[in-house]
Amino acid sequence: MEHIISVTVENKFGSLSRIAGLFSGRGFNIESLSVAPTLDPSMSQMTIVTSGDERIIEQIVKQLNKLIDVIKVVDLNESDFVSRETALIKVHTRPEDRAEALRIADIFRANVIDSTPATYTIEVTGDPRKIGAIINLLQPLGIKELTRTGRVAVARELIRSTDVPAKKIARE
Amino acid sequence: MKLTGAEILIECLKREGVKTIFALPGGVVLKIFDMLHQQKDIEVVLTRHEQGAGHMAEGYAKATGKAGVCLVTSGPGMTNVITALADAYMDSVPLVCFSGQVPTSLIGNDAFQEADNMGLSRPCTKYNFLVKDVKDLAVTIKEAFYIATTGRPGPVLVDIPKDVSMDKAEFVYPSSIAIRSYNPVYEGNKWQIKQAAEAMTKARKPVLYVGGGVIFSGASQELMELAELTHMPVDMTLMGLGAFPGEHPQSMGMLGMHGTYWANMVMHYSDLVVAIGARFDDRVTGKVSEFCPHAKVIHIDIDPTSIRKNVNVDIPIVGDCKMVLRELIQILRATVNGDQRELRKPWWDQIREWQQANPLAYQQEADGPIKPQHVIQRLYELTKDRDPIVSTDVGQHQMWAAQYFKLAKPNRWLTSGGLGTMGFGFPAAMGAQAAFPGRLVLCIAGDGSIQMNMQEMATAVVHKLPVKIIILNNRFHGMVRQWQDLFYEGRYASSDLETTPDFVKLAEAYGAVGLRASKPSEIDAVLKEAIAVNKPVIVDVPTYRYENVYPMIPAGGCNHEMILEDPPALRNKQSGAGQVAPKDSDTILTA
Ligand SMILES: Cc1cc2nc3c(=O)[nH]c(=O)nc-3n(C[C@H](O)[C@H](O)[C@H](O)COP(=O)(O)OP(=O)(O)OC[C@H]3O[C@@H](n4cnc5c(N)ncnc54)[C@H](O)[C@@H]3O)c2cc1C
Ligand SMILES: Cc1ncc(C[n+]2csc(CCOP(=O)(O)OP(=O)(O)O)c2C)c(N)n1
Ligand SMILES: [Mg+2]
């Protein structure tokens, strides 16, 4: 099963290669990985999308924790989470296709961020299904280039029925 | 006062209590060697190969329980020490390895003797550091020793560019260290420990399965207390040998692929396995799906990744063996009354039956070829009163040593288990000897393995490390030959060494002592002579070439299905195959 694992690491030379090396050395799957500094510049936040049965995921989490540079590991699948990915899609547009391309972008609330007489570059953000869907629709026009960020994710804040009213939470 | 990087390194080593380092120089570390040369507190053992330096540091570490230290140059120095780092990583040996690196300004430029030391060592170290500024050197070294020796121990590399060893900085050695992302857990979860105690008092057919973790943790005394209190049999892994006295009536000896019949039967039929500092290696579990089918499993280990890696665990306890066992004993003392012996009497009756049914056995005829097991048996009898340290190489001789050389105490057994590195034995023995100059250090070697680090004899002679090497010389890669006989229809593809050098002359050529026992009747006298000499000695013992190690659980086999002796086809094949001394004319006798 697919799991999204959020990893906080020391923002140090070599941290990324330690994590990449762990996955390749132990034969764990790695579907996507994204890294960027956190608010505290001494740490980086990674989101790793991986897959495996329960035992493998347990090993992945433990092995990540064991790395000296890793500060915190959270398997987001343990609770509810939201995830997003951005794709930049450069499509070929013959004159008769340009309107169609814009229409598709519109349906997905995607933006055209660059345009030439023969291409549009479309930026779309969403969950993997949405990105898959827009790619499917654009494919007949001819996709020239596609780059994806890989997913980032955060756990949802929990609101229990016994919790204080939502308004109060918002003010805190 | 400001010191150079080289001086800082030496000051740090002194503060860590390092008395001996194993090293081989080169261009980028000359400054460090120059400073080492001008001081007296740390002895530098100049090895003949960096792999030797690494294994010596491992032997030193295993015998003392402290971190071993080695120092190598950039490029080929680094690549040569990799095998030892990988070995230490697999067997959790605390090691700090310093490597030279090209000057920081040249890193990445394919400079002379440059290698990506960080990249090379990353998969075979617990952690590694590249020191880019001399100001960071002291803290880095402190962290390196801390990481190497705490939690699950392991090797740590500190890569020092040439300019860093020459630049100057104020020397301040931190008295303590904290790494926010590294906090090993020593104390076990109390509730889990209570659960474990409860399961242990109830079990009718329990077994203690103990490994190297007990030795790292220094928990032998606690283990003894626990075993005697609960009256449980004790199975040891190859790495756990010595954690519990081999001659104790509750000792089952080694379990696993070449473990004793009863140690494996006890595991297979147990209703409770208490794993203590052992990692369920595949040489122990055999076929995982049929491993201990009737048992609940308690697993005490300091490394969470060891738990549930290979087998399912019912009661996991993350923590240090010594601390967890102490708590466990405390609870058990309050709950166990004398009835454990009674409760487990049927279990022990069964165990004694197994022990009688299939004891470890070999046939030594008085005028027949020398049996390797017999040599180890005699060596054991002749030296056990001297509390020797015993190292082995890798192969059949290693397994016979594990079976027949019973260890009374921990930190006496130096062997390469996880990586199975041929060539480990001799340098490891030298490292132990360097730590304990007065002790008797034995190296049980194979004729194949010994040739992988033979060059260190020069080091042993110069540094007066009187290690006694006993070569069980079958002129085979015997372990390989055994598998070929059992699983490849006796086709000896590249396992027959055909001839070995004359080890007696070889020893003499190095300035050591060479001896040979050619007949069973000579063994005792030759071994005694070797032990009496205060010099490195090689005892060459030509043995029966076709002896196989039993019991054996074929790889991936099930633990209660052991091969106990040569299958008939092999027995016939070998009739008349043995000879006493190697002759040039010897050819394969099984064709
Ligand atoms: C030719 C050959 C044949 C072999 N045959 C056998 C065989 O028949 N039987 C056998 O047993 N082995 C055999 N081995 C060795 C085998 O490959 C493994 O190396 C060995 O079984 C592992 O031993 P261990 O489980 O004690 O683990 P170790 O490698 O010693 O690991 C120690 C464990 O203890 C933990 N630990 C460390 N410190 C602490 C602490 N302070 N507190 C708590 N836990 C701690 C570690 O996290 C780790 O999980 C053979 C090897 C070779 C080369
Ligand atoms: C460096 C290395 N290369 C290859 C092997 C594979 N191997 C395992 S045992 C063995 C034979 C060892 O021969 P020897 O040292 O003579 O011991 P014997 O089995 O004959 O007692 C070999 C080649 C290994 N373990 N290590
Ligand atoms: Mg041999």
Side-chain angles (χ1 to χ4, degrees):
Chain A
M1 198 189 128
E2 184 184 277
H3 278 243
I4 301 195
I5 297 174
S6 162
V7 189
T8 313
V9 296
E10 294 287 351
N11 187 3
K12 274 201 241 175
F13 160 83
S15 294
L16 176 61
S17 69
R18 290 178 206 279
I19 292 193
L22 172 70
F23 276 76
S24 65
R26 292 187 181 269
F28 298 143
N29 279 324
I30 190 158
E31 219 150 280
S32 75
L33 183 156
S34 81
V35 203
T38 61
L39 283 178
D40 174 349
S42 73
M43 299 189 234
S44 299
Q45 183 67 40
M46 293 192 185
T47 308
I48 300 173
V49 181
T50 180
S51 60
D53 61 25
E54 211 183 306
R55 229 193 66 222
I56 290 176
I57 299 295
E58 180 179 332
Q59 265 300 310
I60 292 177
V61 170
K62 285 175 168 179
Q63 292 286 357
L64 283 167
N65 261 314
K66 183 173 164 179
L67 290 178
I68 311 273
D69 284 345
V70 169
I71 297 164
K72 191 172 164 206
V73 181
V74 180
D75 177 3
L76 290 170
N77 291 52
E78 304 260 290
S79 59
D80 210 4
F81 65 91
V82 282
S83 79
R84 289 290 179 272
E85 178 174 12
T86 293
L88 303 181
I89 311 166
K90 197 182 281 175
V91 284
H92 292 291
T93 48
R94 286 168 296 177
E96 63 270 31
D97 289 339
R98 286 179 81 85
E100 169 71 356
L102 288 179
R103 220 164 42 80
I104 294 171
D106 204 36
I107 296 170
F108 289 91
R109 277 187 267 163
N111 303 315
V112 175
I113 55 171
D114 189 28
S115 147
T116 66
T119 63
Y120 280 138
T121 300
I122 296 170
E123 170 207 8
V124 62
T125 296
D127 62 23
R129 273 219 313 270
K130 175 173 167 184
I131 296 190
I134 190 172
I135 290 171
N136 275 343
L137 289 179
L138 289 172
Q139 218 138 28
L141 308 188
I143 293 178
K144 190 174 180 207
E145 236 179 290
L146 168 69
T147 101
R148 302 170 69 155
T149 56
R151 262 172 285 169
V152 290
V154 280
R156 275 187 203 277
E157 274 310 301
L158 286 179
I159 306 175
R160 272 172 266 123
S161 55
T162 53
D163 276 352
V164 281
K167 247 198 207 152
K168 195 162 169 225
I169 292 176
R171 249 185 278 125
E172 276 175 0
Chain B
M1 201 183 71
K2 288 198 165 186
L3 300 181
T4 60
E7 290 165 309
I8 290 173
L9 168 58
I10 291 166
E11 286 307 313
C12 292
L13 293 180
K14 285 192 209 161
R15 302 243 183 336
E16 289 295 329
V18 176
K19 298 268 184 301
T20 310
I21 69 170
F22 306 93
L24 205 160
V28 296
V29 282
L30 281 180
K31 178 72 183 172
I32 299 172
F33 277 85
D34 192 43
M35 297 317 299
L36 282 166
H37 190 69
Q38 296 174 46
Q39 55 84 49
K40 288 264 169 308
D41 298 302
I42 299 166
E43 186 196 5
V44 180
V45 174
L46 165 62
T47 67
R48 297 301 183 264
H49 190 295
E50 289 85 353
Q51 186 189 356
H55 292 322
M56 283 179 216
E58 283 190 90
Y60 181 98
K62 282 185 189 230
T64 61
K66 292 193 238 159
V69 179
C70 57
L71 165 61
V72 302
T73 191
S74 62
M78 179 65 204
T79 54
N80 272 351
V81 84
I82 291 276
T83 301
L85 293 179
D87 190 87
Y89 191 48
M90 283 292 263
D91 286 345
S92 307
V93 184
L95 216 66
V96 177
C97 176
F98 295 95
S99 57
Q101 184 53 278
V102 301
T104 43
S105 59
L106 293 181
I107 291 179
N109 281 10
D110 298 327
F112 175 65
Q113 293 195 326
E114 181 180 359
D116 175 6
N117 291 359
M118 294 293 280
L120 285 166
S121 60
R122 198 198 65 236
C124 56
T125 51
K126 182 171 173 185
Y127 199 65
N128 55 11
F129 296 92
L130 167 62
V131 185
K132 285 185 169 162
D133 187 327
V134 67
K135 289 204 271 315
D136 303 331
L137 185 59
V139 179
T140 303
I141 294 173
K142 181 84 192 172
E143 289 187 346
F145 276 91
Y146 174 64
I147 292 172
T149 52
T150 52
R152 179 178 182 167
V156 176
L157 180 93
V158 182
D159 198 25
I160 306 179
K162 183 174 180 180
D163 50 328
V164 172
S165 71
M166 312 192 54
D167 290 350
K168 287 188 169 183
E170 206 64 51
F171 175 65
V172 188
Y173 202 57
S175 54
S176 69
I177 206 103
I179 303 174
R180 66 175 165 185
S181 53
Y182 174 70
N183 301 293
V185 175
Y186 288 88
E187 239 173 276
N189 179 300
K190 290 208 172 9
W191 194 80
Q192 296 287 84
I193 295 176
K194 229 175 165 170
Q195 295 293 107
E198 213 165 286
M200 285 169 77
T201 35
K202 281 195 202 133
R204 286 169 182 278
K205 299 190 277 181
V207 54
L208 300 172
Y209 153 45
V210 312
V214 173
I215 295 173
F216 302 133
S217 163
S220 286
Q221 205 185 318
E222 286 75 10
L223 174 63
M224 173 64 82
E225 249 182 84
L226 180 72
E228 293 195 331
L229 180 64
T230 58
H231 205 54
M232 293 188 186
V234 181
D235 272 17
M236 283 173 271
T237 67
L238 181 69
M239 307 317 283
L241 293 173
F244 190 75
E247 299 249 24
H248 191 284
Q250 281 169 253
S251 164
M252 302 285 104
M254 184 171 78
L255 82 167
M257 179 177 275
H258 290 298
T260 61
Y261 174 74
W262 52 94
N264 288 325
M265 294 300 270
V266 162
M267 280 303 265
H268 188 79
Y269 289 101
S270 66
D271 62 1
L272 179 71
V273 170
V274 186
I276 312 174
R279 58 184 175 82
F280 292 88
D281 184 79
D282 50 80
R283 296 240 149 168
V284 166
T285 60
K287 191 175 190 176
V288 174
S289 60
E290 284 173 50
F291 176 69
C292 298
H294 320 288
K296 229 183 170 170
V297 177
I298 299 171
H299 192 176
I300 304 166
D301 202 295
I302 203 159
D303 179 357
T305 70
S306 285
I307 296 175
R308 266 203 271 268
K309 183 194 281 173
N310 303 328
V311 306
N312 202 30
V313 173
D314 300 284
I315 307 176
I317 303 174
V318 175
D320 171 55
C321 294
K322 197 182 179 91
M323 299 189 75
V324 173
L325 291 193
R326 275 193 185 160
E327 287 223 17
L328 203 51
I329 290 165
Q330 218 174 15
I331 300 174
L332 287 168
R333 279 224 186 287
T335 50
V336 168
N337 18 41
D339 61 8
Q340 297 271 293
R341 232 165 245 271
E342 225 11 73
L343 176 72
R344 287 176 191 146
K345 177 148 190 320
W347 185 223
W348 277 101
D349 289 345
Q350 171 69 75
I351 293 171
R352 297 302 178 215
E353 235 173 75
W354 283 327
Q355 286 181 315
Q356 272 163 20
N358 290 299
L360 289 174
Y362 62 90
Q363 304 275 327
Q364 176 64 66
E365 286 154 29
D367 49 0
I370 297 175
K371 290 297 180 75
Q373 301 95 319
H374 181 64
V375 181
I376 293 171
Q377 183 73 45
R378 291 312 304 152
L379 184 65
Y380 172 59
E381 299 293 345
L382 291 171
T383 60
K384 65 177 171 185
D385 292 340
R386 296 196 41 189
D387 189 18
I389 295 171
V390 186
S391 83
T392 77
D393 265 311
V394 171
Q396 292 185 307
H397 62 279
Q398 177 187 27
M399 294 297 106
W400 286 314
Q403 293 176 338
Y404 290 90
F405 208 107
K406 304 220 165 60
L407 294 141
K409 294 182 190 159
N411 302 102
R412 268 55 170 183
W413 174 246
L414 322 174
T415 199
S416 167
L419 201 66
T421 309
M422 288 170 71
F424 168 87
F426 179 36
M430 289 170 61
Q433 187 82 77
F436 298 107
R439 298 266 298 271
L440 175 62
V441 182
L442 306 169
C443 168
I444 299 173
D447 50 305
S449 298
I450 191 68
Q451 296 188 68
M452 289 210 181
N453 273 316
M454 190 67 235
Q455 76 285 347
E456 298 307 337
M457 187 53 99
T459 313
V461 168
V462 171
H463 286 275
K464 304 196 165 49
L465 301 170
V467 169
K468 312 297 183 290
I469 304 172
I470 294 89
I471 302 178
L472 297 180
N473 188 349
N474 50 18
R475 284 175 297 125
F476 266 123
H477 282 154
M479 185 57 90
V480 175
R481 200 267 310 136
Q482 173 166 349
W483 283 52
Q484 289 169 336
D485 264 329
L486 289 169
F487 311 119
Y488 292 88
E489 293 160 6
R491 289 184 296 277
Y492 296 160
S494 302
S495 58
D496 192 342
L497 298 171
E498 297 181 36
T499 178
T500 50
D502 182 334
F503 287 115
V504 173
K505 284 195 193 142
L506 190 58
E508 286 164 358
Y510 275 109
V513 175
L515 302 169
R516 179 174 291 125
S518 309
K519 308 196 276 248
S521 58
E522 293 172 5
I523 293 173
D524 276 32
V526 170
L527 290 177
K528 280 186 197 156
E529 188 183 347
I531 295 159
V533 181
N534 191 24
K535 270 184 159 192
V537 181
I538 292 183
V539 180
D540 181 33
V541 189
T543 56
Y544 176 55
R545 300 191 73 200
Y546 298 90
E547 193 70 9
N548 288 333
V549 185
Y550 296 110
M552 175 174 191
I553 302 165
C558 187
N559 272 349
H560 65 303
E561 292 165 356
M562 283 163 268
I563 310 178
L564 295 167
E565 57 182 13
D566 276 334
L570 276 191
R571 249 174 292 160
N572 299 336
K573 187 172 167 185
Q574 287 177 16
S575 54
Q579 55 278 304
V580 174
K583 295 187 205 93
D584 288 342
S585 59
D586 279 349
T587 51
I588 303 170
L589 290 154
T590 52

